[in-house]
Structures are given as C-alpha cells and as structure tokens.
Amino acid sequence: MNVLKIRSEMRNGKSIFDLPLRVTFYARVSTDKDEQLNSLENQVQYYTELIQSKPNWTYVKGYIDEGISGTSTKKRDSFNRMIADANAGRFDFIITKEISRFSRSTLDSIQYTQQLLEHDVGVLFQNDNINTLDSDSEFRLVVMAGVAQDEVRKLSERLKFGFRQAIKNGHVLGNDKLWGYDKKDCVLTINEEEARVVRRIFDLYANQQMGIRRISQTLYDEGFTSRKGNAFNVLTIRHILCNPKYKGWYCANKSQTVDYRSKRKVFLEESEWVMYPDPSIPAIVSEELWDRANALYKRRSEQMMSHQSAAEFHNRYPYSGKIICEEHGTSFHRQVLKSAKGEKEVWQCRVYRNRGRAACSAPQLRTTELDQIMAQIFDQLAQDKQAIVDAVVKVIQSVPDEHDYGRDVLRIEEDLSAIHAKKDRLLEMSMAEAITIEEFKRRNDSFNEQIKELEERLEFVKTEAQKSKRSIEQLEQIRTALEQELSFENGINSTLVTTILDHIVVKKSSTKEEVHLDIHLKFGDPCGVVFNRNDSSFCFSRLKNTTLQMPTRRI
C-alpha cells in the first residue's frame, strides 16, 4: 500500500488498524540470559496475537534477534533480513517495542525508517508512540532516537568509571586465563606449575638468545605443553614476553575506543601506555630479566621492520622457501657457518635445526652446490632460451597486478559517496532543527576534512596505478637483459635462476656423501639430480623415466 495513500486515509479519520496491511514485528533482547529470553518469548506471543486479532491485517511471520546489542545493526541477521524483505515488498508495516529495539544509533534509526518509507513500509514504535506513517513522526523520531543514543554514551562513561575504580581498589582486570596465574574475584595468585614455563621462556629468550619458534620446540621437547596438550603457539610466547604483569607491573591504556557506537578501537604508541609497579600483581620474573628480554625483542623487531615487507624478509635469499624435505614436508632454512676459512651459506631442514640430527637425516645443502647444479640444468635447457625468457617476462609482468589499484579506487570512491550522503542527512537534520547550528558546523567541517583526505588518497592511488604499468620499451630491455643472463657469460645469477625454479625436493634416500634431488621448474618436466660429494660429480634424469642427454659432470 502506498505511503501517500495511507496518510491520506489517516487524515480522513481512519486509524492504522482500519487499513488492509500486511503486518510483521521485530523483537530483540541484548543478552541471552534466561530472564531476557523469557521476555523475548513474551514479545513474540504478544505481537503475534495483536496482529492476528486485527481483521484488516494480514499476519507476516516476525523477525527475532537473540542476545545481540542494539548499538549497531552489523551483526543482527534477522534485522538485516527484515530490511531486505521490506525492500522486496513482502509486508507493509512493522511493529516493535521501542526505538532502542531498532537501534540506539540516531543515524541508524533515521536511515532505516527513511529507507523503509521509500519502499512504502511503516514502523510503529509502540512504547514511544511513534508511527512513521504519521507525517510528523520523523521529528519525534529524531528526538527519541537521540535520547536512546545518549543512554549508550552514558553507559560507556559508567563502564570507564567502573574500570578506574576497580583498578584504584587493587582489582586486576583483563584476561581471566593469564598463563602463570590463577584469578579469582579480580585477584591474581601465582600458579607455580605454569609459572615454571613462564620463567623458562624468559630464560631461553633473554639468557640463551633463542628465537621464539625454537623456544616453542624446546618447551615441547622438555614436556611443557599448552593447556590443550599442544606445543606453545608462537603468539602465546610473544604475549608472555611482552606482558608487564609478569614483572609485577600494571599496564593499561594500550588502546582507546574512538567511537562508542561502532566500538572501533585504535592501538596507542607505547609511550602513551599507563604502566607502573602494582603490589596487587605478584611478579613471576625479575624486572631486570623482563626488561632485558623486551629490549632484545624490540631490537629483533626493528631488524625485521627494516625490510620493506615480511615477504621481502623471507624471500631476500634466492632459495628461501623453495627447498623441501621429503621426509617431513618442511622447508629448509638458511644458515651461515663460520670457520677459519671464512663463512659458508648452507640450507638445513627446519626439523633438523630445531631438534638435531636424530630427528632428521636430510643432509645440509650448500648454496654454491645448488648454484652449480642449476647452472648446468639451464645450460642444457637453454636451447629453447626464448621459452625461458618468455616465462620470466610473464612472471615480471604479473608483479604489478598483485596489488589491485582498481579495487582501492573503487573503495575510496564508495567512502566518498557515503560521506556525501551523510552530509545530506546532516543538512536535513539541521533544517528540521533537530541539531543546533554549532553542531551542524562542527560535524560538517569534520566531513569536509574526511572528503579532502580521501580525495588526496584517491589521487595518490591513481598515480601509483599509473607507475605500476610497465611500458613495452621497458619489457624489451628486460628481455634483452634476460637473454644475456641466461648465457651465464658473467657467472651464476642465483636470483635469476631461482626465479625460474619452482621448488627442490631433498629425497629421503639422500646421504651426506650422495644427495638426491628432484628439481621442479615453473615450466617443463621436473628432473632428478644425484650429486656425489666425494668426487664432486652429478648426473641428471627426467622424472618421467626419460634420461636427459647430459653427461656426468664435475663441479
């Protein structure tokens, strides 16, 4: 039924109950406690009987959300389904208890009621006595929804005050399952069995200079496991190392809620944290040990961040992530061995590195050996050099596409559109005198700043997108350089060779004297390599039982 027609009928003396409408209801409780669920059952029964008792109304099954907050509509599945069904024209009228059942956000309430009216669907907020089919309903809705939103703000302030008072009274807030402690009635006591693990972690990290992954494996080998019986998660160890409670300090203000409505948080710089010794928190390790461990943690983190990205850090060596142990299915890690003759770069199975030779029999591989083997393979395959060049160029061309600048542009343009829509709604509220001129100016200026930032970011993204496109001339230069590199006239280029390499499998049959490898390229058939270290010779065979025409060679 058309909203204009309904309002005309109501001006002529008819009530909403006299009109032939398809009517549904929306019910919600904000917790899943028994008394709340009983309240929900009562709401459902009441609205079902009310709608079915009106002879002019057609009952449409209601929409129910259990145990969900009214602050935001993002996670309210039934509510969102109701809005979609309204847009599809499946009913004409919604009954709900009050505005706070719909949403405690003024903007959300107005937005959804306006959206529903655009699809000829009205809403009756029963306790607030607001029927959006009445012509003066929007002004009253703004006032009532504003009151509901202010209740959320007051609740947020009361919670913050409660937290501050609890801390002042020596009550420890936060994680109830903090490793090394038992917590009861907001009081921490040391769990000695778990505290042994915490002390061991700090000792291995700060005193023995172990990495976090190595610590996890060491703890597991020593019989220390998580509460579920597994090896300690790397993140768990990091959290233990960085938590000041373990030295008996209180730590707060790590994050702040930017918007009490969306509950969006931002994490603050460490300089803004609130930290001090707290007598109510029993220390498990000394301050000196904790400080030393965290100084080392920061130093290592800075070394990691000095590389442009995590991917670059892990792949800055040509064979990183490309050598696989057949026995364990794990990757080989780089190690630099120092001796009187100098440094030697080798690759070792991760299981061997963590648990020793008894755990993995795979031999370590030298980078120089791998370079020579790869050079010989490509020397033989270079008869079809053009195919190799084409394959490498294809890989290079794909790199710029890894970042979807088009998607970034679309997202920014959508954000701009959303802010312009908010400015329009703000203007409507100002014209309806729902907000003051000062409030309108403050919020409008904020929107303008956001628009300026988004427009600058949009320009930057478009510029970067243009830079990422390689010209035909550039690709031709790359192609020429590749042809020269593949001739190996200037020696081995490991980076180039491993660009074409997919992965290497170190076979179980390998020994220290004789290494068996399966080498898989990014094109063509894989090949097997047997390398004899006693006489520095190696031979090749295709894995499809076809012997390559390659003589035995010596390195």
Side-chain angles (χ1 to χ4, degrees):
M1 199 170 182
N2 185 277
V3 169
L4 293 178
K5 186 176 180 181
I6 292 174
R7 287 177 173 171
S8 176
E9 295 277 1
M10 293 173 69
R11 281 195 296 269
N12 290 332
K14 288 187 177 182
S15 73
I16 195 69
F17 304 109
D18 298 325
L19 301 176
L21 302 173
R22 297 167 296 166
V23 184
T24 187
F25 67 87
Y26 177 69
R28 176 185 63 80
V29 292
S30 57
T31 70
D32 53 5
K33 293 182 179 178
D34 290 342
E35 59 267 26
Q36 288 278 24
L37 294 179
N38 289 334
S39 169
L40 184 62
E41 291 177 5
N42 294 336
Q43 289 183 55
V44 172
Q45 180 180 355
Y46 170 77
Y47 287 124
T48 301
E49 292 176 355
L50 173 65
I51 295 170
Q52 291 178 342
S53 70
K54 306 302 177 185
N56 293 315
W57 285 1
T58 300
Y59 172 75
V60 177
K61 186 177 179 182
Y63 299 83
I64 305 164
D65 279 317
E66 299 180 11
I68 297 176
S69 168
T71 309
S72 171
T73 60
K74 290 181 180 179
K75 297 180 181 179
R76 293 159 60 185
D77 294 337
S78 291
F79 181 90
N80 294 327
R81 183 164 49 85
M82 178 183 71
I83 297 297
D85 289 349
N87 295 346
R90 291 178 180 162
F91 47 79
D92 306 305
F93 199 54
I94 302 169
I95 300 179
T96 192
K97 186 177 179 182
E98 55 197 359
I99 293 173
S100 61
R101 296 301 90 187
F102 227 49
S103 175
R104 288 181 182 164
S105 163
T106 302
L107 292 178
D108 278 352
S109 295
I110 295 174
Q111 173 191 343
Y112 283 109
T113 53
Q114 288 178 337
Q115 181 180 339
L116 290 166
L117 285 172
E118 288 173 2
H119 290 84
D120 296 320
V121 176
V123 183
L124 173 62
F125 298 103
Q126 198 172 31
N127 288 3
D128 302 313
N129 194 28
I130 295 178
N131 178 0
T132 62
L133 294 176
D134 290 335
S135 56
D136 66 342
S137 63
E138 188 164 350
F139 175 74
R140 287 192 290 153
L141 178 65
V142 169
V143 175
M144 296 299 294
V147 171
Q149 180 169 312
D150 195 54
E151 284 300 310
V152 178
R153 182 190 60 78
K154 289 178 181 178
L155 176 61
S156 176
E157 292 300 322
R158 287 197 294 269
L159 286 172
K160 290 179 181 178
F161 176 78
F163 287 151
R164 289 194 295 268
Q165 288 300 111
I167 294 166
K168 184 178 179 181
N169 295 330
H171 293 159
V172 180
L173 305 176
N175 190 353
D176 287 341
K177 296 181 179 180
L178 187 63
W179 190 270
Y181 293 102
D182 293 323
K183 185 177 180 182
K184 185 177 181 181
D185 299 328
C186 292
V187 176
L188 290 180
T189 56
I190 293 178
N191 180 319
E192 283 300 336
E193 184 177 350
E194 293 185 353
R196 287 174 56 209
V197 181
V198 174
R199 296 186 185 105
R200 184 64 171 147
I201 288 172
F202 276 90
D203 174 60
L204 293 173
Y205 192 80
N207 296 331
Q208 302 187 36
Q209 304 282 301
M210 277 193 188
I212 291 177
R213 295 185 185 278
R214 183 73 179 274
I215 291 174
S216 174
Q217 188 60 54
T218 300
L219 292 174
Y220 189 77
D221 291 342
E222 293 177 354
F224 296 116
T225 62
S226 68
R227 293 188 177 107
K228 294 183 179 180
N230 303 320
F232 273 85
N233 187 284
V234 169
L235 288 178
T236 301
I237 296 175
R238 285 177 180 161
H239 290 158
I240 288 174
L241 288 169
C242 297
N243 193 333
K245 282 188 174 71
Y246 290 111
K247 66 173 180 176
W249 281 49
Y250 171 79
C251 181
N253 203 46
K254 286 186 175 182
S255 64
Q256 285 187 355
T257 301
V258 177
D259 189 340
Y260 64 86
R261 294 166 298 183
S262 66
K263 299 179 182 178
R264 184 171 68 87
K265 289 185 176 181
V266 294
F267 290 93
L268 304 178
E269 296 291 334
E270 188 174 342
S271 59
E272 299 182 61
W273 295 0
V274 177
M275 291 177 57
Y276 54 82
D278 189 341
S280 63
I281 302 176
I284 292 179
V285 300
S286 68
E287 286 190 31
E288 184 275 334
L289 179 59
W290 191 94
D291 291 343
R292 191 151 41 85
N294 276 263
L296 175 60
Y297 185 86
K298 288 179 182 177
R299 190 162 62 249
R300 288 178 173 175
S301 297
E302 288 169 358
Q303 289 173 354
M304 289 278 286
M305 293 301 293
S306 65
H307 300 279
Q308 293 182 359
S309 67
E312 181 182 336
F313 177 79
H314 288 294
N315 296 304
R316 66 190 188 277
Y317 303 110
Y319 295 104
S320 291
K322 295 190 176 185
I323 309 174
I324 310 298
C325 175
E326 184 184 50
E327 182 178 355
H328 296 105
T330 54
S331 61
F332 274 51
H333 290 195
R334 177 180 175 271
Q335 182 76 17
V336 176
L337 304 180
K338 298 181 180 180
S339 67
K341 297 180 179 180
E343 295 183 350
K344 179 172 61 178
E345 184 180 79
V346 299
W347 298 85
Q348 302 168 337
C349 174
R350 181 166 61 87
V351 174
Y352 165 75
R353 287 193 64 186
N354 291 340
R355 305 177 64 181
R357 176 57 61 203
C360 180
S361 60
Q364 64 184 13
L365 304 177
R366 300 172 189 166
T367 298
T368 53
E369 295 170 345
L370 293 170
D371 284 345
Q372 292 291 336
I373 291 171
M374 296 303 299
Q376 292 298 331
I377 289 176
F378 285 106
D379 186 42
Q380 297 298 321
L381 295 180
Q383 297 172 9
D384 191 9
K385 187 185 296 184
Q386 195 58 47
I388 299 174
V389 172
D390 290 343
V392 177
V393 170
K394 186 176 181 181
V395 172
I396 294 172
Q397 284 178 305
S398 69
V399 171
D401 297 330
E402 290 178 1
H403 190 93
D404 190 347
Y405 289 103
R407 182 181 58 189
D408 289 349
V409 169
L410 181 61
R411 186 184 296 116
I412 294 172
E413 289 176 343
E414 288 175 349
D415 290 344
L416 280 169
S417 178
I419 294 176
H420 281 297
K422 289 179 181 179
K423 286 191 63 176
D424 292 341
R425 289 197 295 271
L426 183 67
L427 181 60
E428 291 174 4
M429 291 173 65
S430 177
M431 293 175 66
E433 299 183 352
I435 58 175
T436 64
I437 296 297
E438 291 77 11
E439 175 70 5
F440 169 80
K441 186 178 184 305
R442 182 182 65 80
R443 292 167 65 178
N444 191 62
D445 289 345
S446 175
F447 286 144
N448 288 336
E449 288 180 9
Q450 294 177 50
I451 290 172
K452 182 180 178 182
E453 290 178 3
L454 286 171
E455 287 176 342
E456 290 175 353
R457 197 189 313 165
L458 182 62
E459 185 64 27
F460 173 78
V461 170
K462 288 181 176 179
T463 302
E464 289 300 306
Q466 192 63 32
K467 289 180 182 178
S468 71
K469 296 178 181 178
R470 293 185 183 274
S471 66
I472 297 175
E473 292 78 9
Q474 287 176 308
L475 286 176
E476 286 304 317
Q477 293 173 3
I478 292 171
R479 187 181 295 275
T480 301
L482 285 171
E483 290 173 349
Q484 292 176 350
E485 291 287 355
L486 281 174
S487 66
F488 299 109
E489 293 175 357
N490 300 318
I492 307 297
N493 184 326
S494 296
T495 304
L496 172 65
V497 172
T498 53
T499 298
I500 305 169
L501 172 68
D502 188 76
H503 66 279
I504 298 173
V505 177
V506 182
K507 307 293 288 182
K508 294 179 183 178
S509 55
S510 296
T511 64
K512 186 177 181 180
E513 292 76 23
E514 189 173 86
V515 182
H516 295 245
L517 307 175
D518 286 350
I519 298 180
H520 298 255
L521 307 180
K522 292 182 178 177
F523 60 92
D525 296 330
C527 66
V529 176
V530 178
F531 170 59
N532 190 315
R533 281 180 168 150
N534 291 327
D535 59 5
S536 298
S537 65
F538 53 88
C539 62
F540 299 84
S541 64
R542 289 205 183 276
L543 294 185
K544 289 189 175 182
N545 299 320
T546 302
T547 302
L548 285 174
Q549 298 302 313
M550 294 186 185
T552 298
R553 302 292 297 270
R554 294 182 183 274
I555 295 179

